[in-house]
Amino acid sequence: MLSEGGSFMKGMALGGVFCLVLSLLGSFSPVTESRTEEEHHHHHHVKAASKDELQQLSDSRLRELNDQLKVYCVIMVQPKTLVYWATALDTWTKHCDKAEFYTSESSKALEAVDLKEKDDWARLRKALQHAYENAGDIRWFFVAQPSTFAIIENLKYLVLTKDPEQPFYLGKAVKSGELEYVEFGSGIVLSYEALRRLVDVFQDEDKCPERGRALWKLSEDKQLAVCLKFTGVFAENGEDVHGKGVFNSRSVDSLISESMKQNPNNVVEGCCSDMAVTFSGLSPNQMQVMMFGVYRLRPYGHDFHDLLTFYPPKGSDND
Amino acid sequence: MKALGSRFSFYAGFVVGTFVLYVFLRQVWYEETPQADGYGSLGGRRQQMDEDEGIWKKERSALFNLDHPHHRGEDSHMADELYNKVRVLCWVMTGPNNLEKKARHVKHTWSRHCNIVVFMSSVDDPDFPTVGLGTKEGRDQLYWKTIRAFHYAYEHHASEADWFLKADDDTYVIVDNLRWVLANHTPDEPIYFGRRFKPYTKQGYMSGGAGYVLSREALRRFVEGFKNKVCTHTTSVEDLAMGQCMEKVGVLAGDSRDSALRETFHPFVPEQHLTAKFPKSFWYWSYCYYPISEGPNCCSDVSVSFHYVDATGMYLLEYYAYHLRAFGYRYRYQPPTPKVYRLKLSDSRDSADRLKDRASGMKEPGDADDSSRIDRERDAGPPPVAAKEPAAAPG
């Protein structure tokens, strides 16, 4: 009996030590894991400039940056989503320096560039080609569907200090297997250089086929990433100065509801960026509310002395 | 046999020892490990208590705002000035069944911008906290609750605030904008503001759901009116009864519209005012004192309130009003500076313009129309108290 008791105690002691050693070992590996994850993450995001960074810029530099800060909006529409098309026309696209609607087939109700193309990827290619050829002096391109709502001023803020002669491919970056791509639903940002390289690789039927591989069809946003990858351009996640994503693939109320469950004591701060660029999935009415919320509603006496000024578009009444 | 027994005990001991230490370590480490799950995610009761401590001082069933909420990188000197000069006590009509469903969200959002907030219920609750008015719950109790709530506010807080706002637990109020509307008036004026309705009264009355605010003098006359039996509980239709009493005691029904004659207090949610086409038979058309605008002109940029706002809607409006913005955007409508602060503002406006001039030359060609229109509105001045000229309002 005594020897069994003794063995039991010895066993317990050894078991305790064993557990301790394991926990200590365990506490080390997650740390190193997260560090490499962070590094990996570091290479693939683009953050907006902080106020300090902006204040260090000279007046002439600021003026230079402002001049090249024009955005060409490529909006891919279809007659079957006419309500969203009309809403986009009446809301956020008014804030683009140039807004061009590209449709799969013409509609009697609204004007657009008729690409006469049913295949999503082929249509996107044609639209981007057209945008590149008609860019004029515009150096930034924003590609979206009308179910997305975008705040173009915040897009400009995100890319303010970035050089469009460098390749940039930004948005909500997600990974599918080995491929990192920008989700279409939350909008795609391309710098002039990225678009130039893309239009160039369009000629290469091996690297960037027009009809996609016959075996299985990639969605057009993944296809875009594949083609860009061949030209050395990689997807990057757009974030504000605090590292919060500014491209949202869901509607604002859905994100708020989720935050109410996850951060019940800090719902708004735990939800979405103050400088959000896109939301997806809002109804047309909700988009009108967002216009009011972004461009009009504010608390009196709170001012942000931003170093750039963007003026309201002419002939508009909801902003 | 014995050797086997002791070996078995050893293994058993080993398992037990591992298990015991595992449980022990989990308890200890769980306490110490910080919650590292994502941006802004806060867990635990401890956080809530800290937050409440930093924001409110609970005293006599009211919450006294310790710190006017501020945003990173913003210049809120004007809002701070008004916060100190135009003190608002907000009382929120609620009930014991709505504390967690509705009142809680008011507490976490707009009521933080009041100088003082008191939650009025039928039952005392020292934790939330709520004041028990000694009534029952239900629509027929609304005016009783209102009468008692205003009496409570007068008896306990008359010297601590200049204006006394009534709101429902499904009303969202942008208190900074309320202060702007009130800034050109003094608490000694017998006046009250809200969304003005016209029927049943001579001077109109204010919609209950959209919220209304009494000056200290108006509140004094209200309480006095009940003492002298000039005012009594006439009907349970709270807003109408209120309006009838106000008329009897000589309190003026103010015009709360902005300088472009757009309404600031709203009886519905923004989506309805901005997009809905109410049928002409809807009561709303015949009730509004001033001409109704549908579409974007329905609502002022400095809107004060919306009604029928659910829990998600509270946080959404907080996000739209106080958080989400368009970088660098020059708003079309520039609300005129309240008279008293004009001189002070010209100093700070110079520094603001100096900052803007740093990034000068940003004006778009042909923008003369927009900017001159805005300047005209700024110089137009605040509207006079009782009679608003139907000015040629631009935009």
Side-chain angles (χ1 to χ4, degrees), chain B residues 147-176:
Chain B
I147 295 166
R148 295 204 179 168
F150 273 120
H151 275 75
Y152 178 93
Y154 187 70
E155 280 153 32
H156 292 84
H157 300 284
S159 58
E160 289 164 336
D162 305 309
W163 299 86
F164 300 81
L165 170 83
K166 175 260 170 180
D168 287 343
D169 52 19
D170 59 353
T171 308
Y172 185 90
V173 181
I174 301 171
V175 188
D176 295 78

Side-chain angles (χ1 to χ4, degrees), chain B residues 146-222:
Chain B
T146 304
I147 295 166
R148 295 204 179 168
F150 273 120
H151 275 75
Y152 178 93
Y154 187 70
E155 280 153 32
H156 292 84
H157 300 284
S159 58
E160 289 164 336
D162 305 309
W163 299 86
F164 300 81
L165 170 83
K166 175 260 170 180
D168 287 343
D169 52 19
D170 59 353
T171 308
Y172 185 90
V173 181
I174 301 171
V175 188
D176 295 78
N177 291 340
L178 176 62
R179 292 196 183 93
W180 178 81
V181 171
L182 301 175
N184 281 324
H185 300 270
T186 71
D188 302 317
E189 283 173 53
I191 195 168
Y192 77 126
F193 292 96
R195 170 61 84 110
R196 209 164 163 186
F197 284 163
K198 64 178 177 219
Y200 313 121
T201 49
K202 260 180 267 155
Q203 65 163 2
Y205 66 96
M206 305 306 175
S207 153
Y212 50 82
V213 59
L214 273 61
S215 66
R216 191 169 47 233
E217 175 59 19
L219 179 61
R220 194 195 64 76
R221 292 192 187 194
F222 179 76

Side-chain angles (χ1 to χ4, degrees), chain A residues 18-179:
Chain A
F18 172 71
C19 185
L20 250 160
V21 170
L22 238 108
S23 319
L24 286 169
L25 284 174
S27 73
F28 275 129
S29 36
V31 172
T32 51
E33 246 175 52
S34 64
R35 212 176 287 144
T36 50
E37 242 178 63
E38 253 183 62
E39 271 177 40
H40 173 83
H41 188 61
H42 216 72
H43 286 303
H44 296 279
H45 66 188
V46 165
K47 272 186 171 178
S50 69
K51 196 154 189 182
D52 294 326
E53 282 171 49
L54 291 181
Q55 278 175 335
Q56 280 167 30
L57 297 169
S58 67
D59 288 353
S60 57
R61 179 77 185 123
L62 216 49
R63 210 170 297 150
E64 246 175 51
L65 289 173
N66 184 68
D67 284 339
Q68 74 184 16
L69 214 48
K70 297 202 187 82
V71 177
Y72 186 130
C73 295
V74 174
I75 306 116
M76 307 298 294
V77 296
Q78 293 181 65
K80 68 180 181 188
T81 50
L82 199 67
V83 176
Y84 283 94
W85 179 346
T87 306
L89 195 56
D90 188 41
T91 59
W92 64 270
T93 60
K94 291 189 278 195
H95 292 252
C96 306
D97 295 274
K98 184 178 169 118
E100 200 72 79
F101 291 77
Y102 296 90
T103 182
S104 54
E105 52 181 308
S106 65
S107 156
K108 288 195 195 77
L110 296 170
E111 265 180 48
V113 174
D114 186 2
L115 300 172
K116 299 185 178 61
E117 179 62 71
K118 286 279 156 68
D119 181 79
D120 292 334
W121 169 235
R123 195 164 71 248
L124 183 60
R125 283 173 61 117
K126 289 192 174 154
L128 290 171
Q129 181 90 40
H130 184 274
Y132 179 71
E133 286 160 8
N134 292 277
D137 61 350
I138 300 181
R139 290 290 167 268
W140 291 99
F141 301 83
F142 177 65
V143 194
Q145 294 155 320
S147 52
T148 308
F149 186 100
I151 303 166
I152 299 298
E153 289 80 4
N154 291 346
L155 197 164
K156 291 184 176 182
Y157 173 57
L158 178 67
V159 299
L160 179 50
T161 53
K162 317 289 182 276
D163 182 6
E165 304 297 325
Q166 293 297 310
F168 284 100
Y169 164 42
L170 316 170
K172 179 166 198 217
V174 294
K175 226 170 169 170
S176 168
E178 276 306 307
L179 180 70

Side-chain angles (χ1 to χ4, degrees), chain B residues 30-58:
Chain B
Y30 186 71
E31 289 291 309
E32 289 182 9
T33 310
Q35 306 281 26
D37 35 347
Y39 192 103
S41 137
L42 301 167
R45 229 171 295 127
R46 200 196 310 153
Q47 285 282 8
Q48 176 173 10
M49 269 161 43
D50 285 344
E51 220 173 78
D52 281 358
E53 269 166 38
I55 297 166
W56 298 116
K57 180 182 68 169
K58 203 196 288 185

Side-chain angles (χ1 to χ4, degrees), chain A residues 142-305:
Chain A
F142 177 65
V143 194
Q145 294 155 320
S147 52
T148 308
F149 186 100
I151 303 166
I152 299 298
E153 289 80 4
N154 291 346
L155 197 164
K156 291 184 176 182
Y157 173 57
L158 178 67
V159 299
L160 179 50
T161 53
K162 317 289 182 276
D163 182 6
E165 304 297 325
Q166 293 297 310
F168 284 100
Y169 164 42
L170 316 170
K172 179 166 198 217
V174 294
K175 226 170 169 170
S176 168
E178 276 306 307
L179 180 70
E180 191 153 5
Y181 68 100
V182 169
E183 269 191 5
F184 200 0
S186 30
I188 305 171
V189 179
L190 293 167
S191 68
Y192 185 77
E193 174 60 17
L195 185 59
R196 191 196 65 73
R197 293 191 192 187
L198 183 67
V199 166
D200 198 50
V201 83
F202 279 165
Q203 323 272 24
D204 191 329
E205 263 297 306
D206 289 319
K207 292 196 180 131
C208 192
E210 192 177 3
R211 299 285 145 180
R213 301 271 168 236
L215 217 61
W216 73 83
K217 241 179 157 224
L218 282 181
S219 59
E220 64 267 51
D221 47 8
K222 287 187 188 140
Q223 192 66 71
L224 183 67
V226 168
C227 292
L228 279 168
K229 214 170 170 183
F230 275 119
T231 70
V233 181
F234 299 94
E236 289 178 291
N237 200 44
E239 297 165 6
D240 65 13
V241 292
H242 310 294
K244 209 175 224 188
V246 290
F247 294 88
N248 296 291
S249 54
R250 290 161 58 182
S251 68
V252 62
D253 47 299
S254 146
L255 289 164
I256 296 256
S257 296
E258 185 183 309
S259 191
M260 282 169 72
K261 292 190 199 104
Q262 293 192 340
N263 323 298
N265 296 321
N266 213 0
V267 177
V268 179
E269 250 121 50
C271 169
C272 320
S273 173
D274 287 11
M275 310 308 288
V277 177
T278 61
F279 292 97
S280 182
L282 273 78
S283 72
N285 282 350
Q286 287 173 327
M287 290 191 183
Q288 294 288 359
V289 176
M290 189 167 266
M291 281 300 274
F292 179 68
V294 172
Y295 294 110
R296 296 184 51 211
L297 185 68
R298 63 216 185 260
Y300 182 78
H302 297 258
D303 293 303
F304 292 87
H305 302 294

Side-chain angles (χ1 to χ4, degrees), chain B residues 316-329:
Chain B
L316 184 57
L317 278 168
E318 186 87 1
Y319 180 59
Y320 277 150
Y322 287 95
H323 293 261
L324 185 63
R325 67 186 191 92
F327 178 78
Y329 190 65

Side-chain angles (χ1 to χ4, degrees), chain B residues 112-330:
Chain B
R112 291 187 179 181
H113 304 269
C114 308
N115 298 73
I116 308 170
V117 65
V118 187
F119 290 90
M120 303 289 189
S121 172
S122 51
V123 174
D124 245 356
D125 182 326
D127 290 316
F128 192 86
T130 67
V131 167
L133 297 170
T135 62
K136 294 195 281 280
E137 286 297 324
R139 282 198 77 80
D140 61 324
Q141 298 294 302
L142 283 178
Y143 194 41
W144 276 120
K145 284 173 90 172
T146 304
I147 295 166
R148 295 204 179 168
F150 273 120
H151 275 75
Y152 178 93
Y154 187 70
E155 280 153 32
H156 292 84
H157 300 284
S159 58
E160 289 164 336
D162 305 309
W163 299 86
F164 300 81
L165 170 83
K166 175 260 170 180
D168 287 343
D169 52 19
D170 59 353
T171 308
Y172 185 90
V173 181
I174 301 171
V175 188
D176 295 78
N177 291 340
L178 176 62
R179 292 196 183 93
W180 178 81
V181 171
L182 301 175
N184 281 324
H185 300 270
T186 71
D188 302 317
E189 283 173 53
I191 195 168
Y192 77 126
F193 292 96
R195 170 61 84 110
R196 209 164 163 186
F197 284 163
K198 64 178 177 219
Y200 313 121
T201 49
K202 260 180 267 155
Q203 65 163 2
Y205 66 96
M206 305 306 175
S207 153
Y212 50 82
V213 59
L214 273 61
S215 66
R216 191 169 47 233
E217 175 59 19
L219 179 61
R220 194 195 64 76
R221 292 192 187 194
F222 179 76
V223 171
E224 187 89 0
F226 273 87
K227 209 170 17 165
N228 304 336
K229 307 268 197 296
V230 169
C231 293
T232 55
H233 183 282
T234 47
T235 159
S236 65
V237 182
E238 161 247 338
D239 45 15
L240 174 58
M242 191 72 200
Q244 287 168 337
C245 175
M246 291 284 100
E247 212 163 81
K248 286 200 193 110
V249 298
V251 171
L252 196 68
D255 181 355
S256 57
R257 295 177 301 169
D258 69 16
S259 59
L261 302 180
R262 285 187 288 239
E263 295 274 12
T264 55
F265 289 74
H266 304 288
F268 301 109
V269 290
E271 190 172 327
Q272 283 178 295
H273 286 287
L274 289 166
T275 66
K277 302 266 179 279
F278 298 124
K280 292 298 184 212
S281 57
F282 189 48
W283 61 264
Y284 184 63
W285 288 101
S286 54
Y287 266 52
C288 285
Y289 191 91
Y290 302 109
I292 296 177
S293 275
E294 286 180 311
N297 229 38
C298 67
C299 315
S300 172
D301 285 22
V302 288
S303 280
V304 174
S305 71
F306 294 98
H307 186 217
Y308 297 119
V309 180
D310 63 9
T312 309
M314 291 276 168
Y315 298 106
L316 184 57
L317 278 168
E318 186 87 1
Y319 180 59
Y320 277 150
Y322 287 95
H323 293 261
L324 185 63
R325 67 186 191 92
F327 178 78
Y329 190 65
R330 174 65 144 86

